Amino acid sequence: MAAFNFTPSDPSTFILIGIPGLEAAHVLISIPLSMFYIIGLLGNFMVLFVVLKEQTLHKPMYLLLSLLAVTEISTSTSIVPKALCIFWFNLKGITVGGCLTQMFFLHAGSMMHSAVLMTMALDRYVAICNPLRYATILTNARIAKLGLVALVRAVLFTLPLPLLLSRQPFCANRIIPHTYCEHMAVAKMSCGDIAVNRMYGLVMALVTWSDLTLIALSYGLIIRAVLRISSKKAHQKALNTCTAHICVMLTSYPLFLFSTLAHRFGQGITPHVHIIFANLFFLIPPMLNPIIYGVKSKELCDKVVKYT
């Protein structure tokens, strides 16, 4: 029972209480949570395996899909195992170092995910608006470089979050009403001035909003290019190439926008609703995205069936 004996007064430990107000339903909530996580892992690892094994899939679109799979595996894995430990075994304690590490991987993965979606929008823009030069503009080497830039950006922007918090004095009450170490939830445990942390959290949100703005701009240019095409069949073909990416964005950004806006402006929203949606943001896209691309891409679907 020593493993369960975590107290808020332990100076090296935070207490994650899970979903406040729904403690009695933690085991029931864990059932869909674990199912979403396992389906997401299987789907994304299958995508990675198939793209790695098949030379015919070594194309920009599938390389970007592989990058997306890696970011989704990392973000969901950074929160779900600990959440299940809370729900199943009441293991609510997490060290300060573990908390800050979880926070880093969580936010870095989210920023990387946003950058990959933005790059996928660029890929679709070039494919539709400049199809003759697509193969020369977006080579595999250039996709690798864009992926490296996205990774460096994610690390550089996210690293200050745990560094700033590591310098903060924390109060005796170290209970975090969440299933994972979200930046502002941890910052509110501090007895010091967290104005810089709040400001930097806003900067992080603005970076993701800028990615969303660039995605919207890309699709604005795509729609303009499609409307200039006289053939209705060509219209349909051009739009079909974007369907999968649009569906992926619809699984990701609405949950992100709700979670972000609710955290900053939704004082009237009950905490358990906010926390459930925050968890779904890291579980629904990883579960659905491999299915979406498997359904919409016949080439990928055929290879998955072959290996299955």
Side-chain angles (χ1 to χ4, degrees):
M1 293 298 291
F4 295 83
N5 191 26
F6 286 112
T7 62
S9 59
D10 186 346
S12 63
T13 305
F14 288 124
I15 305 297
L16 292 165
I17 66 171
I19 304 176
L22 295 178
E23 287 87 353
H26 274 177
V27 174
L28 287 176
I29 293 170
S30 72
I31 296 171
L33 187 105
S34 55
M35 286 178 61
F36 293 164
Y37 177 59
I38 291 167
I39 294 169
L41 283 184
L42 290 174
N44 283 295
F45 274 120
M46 177 61 80
V47 168
L48 287 173
F49 175 76
V50 170
V51 173
L52 181 67
K53 292 286 287 183
E54 284 293 331
Q55 288 288 334
T56 56
L57 297 182
H58 290 182
K59 301 173 184 176
M61 185 178 80
Y62 296 111
L63 294 179
L64 287 171
L65 184 56
S66 299
L67 274 176
L68 190 69
V70 169
T71 63
E72 290 178 341
I73 290 169
S74 65
T75 51
S76 60
T77 301
S78 67
I79 66 164
V80 174
K82 180 58 185 174
L84 292 179
C85 284
I86 296 169
F87 294 160
W88 290 345
F89 309 115
N90 204 34
L91 292 172
K92 298 181 177 182
I94 184 169
T95 63
V96 173
C99 187
L100 296 180
T101 301
Q102 184 192 52
M103 182 194 304
F104 171 78
F105 281 104
L106 182 65
H107 288 285
S110 299
M111 186 165 279
M112 181 79 179
H113 185 268
S114 179
V116 172
L117 287 179
M118 180 180 66
T119 310
M120 292 173 95
L122 172 66
D123 171 75
R124 294 300 84 202
Y125 166 73
V126 176
I128 291 172
C129 298
N130 208 342
L132 298 179
R133 296 185 60 206
Y134 176 80
T136 55
I137 294 173
L138 286 179
T139 61
N140 288 350
R142 191 158 289 163
I143 291 296
K145 289 176 183 176
L146 288 171
L148 183 60
V149 169
L151 177 61
V152 171
R153 184 190 80 153
V155 170
L156 291 180
F157 270 98
T158 308
L159 196 56
L161 292 180
L163 291 179
L164 287 169
L165 282 173
S166 66
R167 299 166 62 88
Q168 288 284 348
F170 291 103
C171 303
N173 181 14
R174 296 184 169 211
I175 298 175
I176 302 173
H178 218 303
T179 55
Y180 59 85
C181 291
E182 195 272 332
H183 172 239
M184 285 311 301
V186 178
K188 288 174 183 176
M189 297 297 103
S190 172
C191 298
D193 183 9
I194 60 169
V196 175
N197 301 78
R198 289 183 182 276
M199 187 63 68
Y200 198 76
L202 184 60
V203 169
M204 292 279 290
L206 288 174
V207 171
T208 306
W209 279 93
S210 68
D211 291 345
L212 185 56
T213 302
L214 290 172
I215 291 171
L217 177 63
S218 296
Y219 273 96
L221 295 172
I222 287 171
I223 291 169
R224 189 180 71 171
V226 168
L227 291 176
R228 290 177 176 176
I229 301 172
S230 56
S231 168
K232 197 169 184 180
K233 189 176 180 180
H235 266 194
Q236 191 68 28
K237 185 179 178 182
L239 290 174
N240 278 341
T241 64
C242 300
T243 306
H245 184 242
I246 291 170
C247 290
V248 166
M249 287 195 301
L250 289 176
T251 66
S252 301
Y253 278 110
L255 287 168
F256 164 76
L257 294 175
F258 174 84
S259 184
T260 303
L261 294 174
H263 185 74
R264 296 199 172 270
F265 308 110
Q267 286 79 11
I269 299 174
T270 54
H272 66 264
V273 172
H274 177 212
I275 292 169
I276 288 170
F277 272 91
N279 280 274
L280 290 177
F281 169 64
F282 295 108
L283 288 169
I284 298 296
M287 180 182 68
L288 293 181
N289 291 347
I291 298 171
I292 291 168
Y293 271 96
V295 170
K296 295 304 295 182
S297 170
K298 187 177 184 303
E299 191 176 9
L300 178 63
C301 185
D302 290 344
K303 299 303 181 185
V304 169
V305 170
K306 168 188 168 183
Y307 283 105
T308 303

